[in-house]
């Protein structure tokens, strides 16, 4: 059975958070810039109607906020 888009996003975010916890401070800064803000890469949460930027960093973990 295929996962829904929301479940796939949550799985990817969880794996990114695990990876982030294994990085040193300088690497985390670069990854955070790539994931939650920056000129070249913008993270998105997918909704049925549109794509919204909704990835945040809380307590050293990425969170997806889907309205």
């Amino acid at each position: 059975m295929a996962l829904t888009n929301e479940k796939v996003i949550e799985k990817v975010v969880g794996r990114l958070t695990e990876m982030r916890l294994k990085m040193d401070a300088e690497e985390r800064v670069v990854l955070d810039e790539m994931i939650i803000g920056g000129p070249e890469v913008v993270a998105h949460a997918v909704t049925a109607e549109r794509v919204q930027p909704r990835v945040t960093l809380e307590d050293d973990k990425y969170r997806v906020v889907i309205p």
Side-chain angles (χ1 to χ4, degrees), residues 3-60:
L3 297 174
T4 63
N5 281 344
E6 185 176 335
K7 293 291 184 189
V8 171
I9 291 168
E10 291 294 334
K11 187 175 179 181
V12 170
V13 168
R15 292 179 73 185
L16 284 169
T17 297
E18 287 176 22
M19 183 175 65
R20 184 182 186 279
L21 294 174
K22 295 176 185 174
M23 294 179 165
D24 64 30
E26 290 178 343
E27 293 171 325
R28 285 193 304 267
V29 168
V30 171
L31 183 64
D32 292 347
E33 185 69 18
M34 290 172 62
I35 299 299
I36 60 176
E40 307 241 353
V41 178
V42 178
H44 293 84
V46 178
T47 65
E49 296 84 32
R50 61 186 183 266
V51 176
Q52 291 284 331
R54 297 286 185 206
V55 177
T56 63
L57 182 65
E58 297 175 14
D59 300 324
D60 276 342

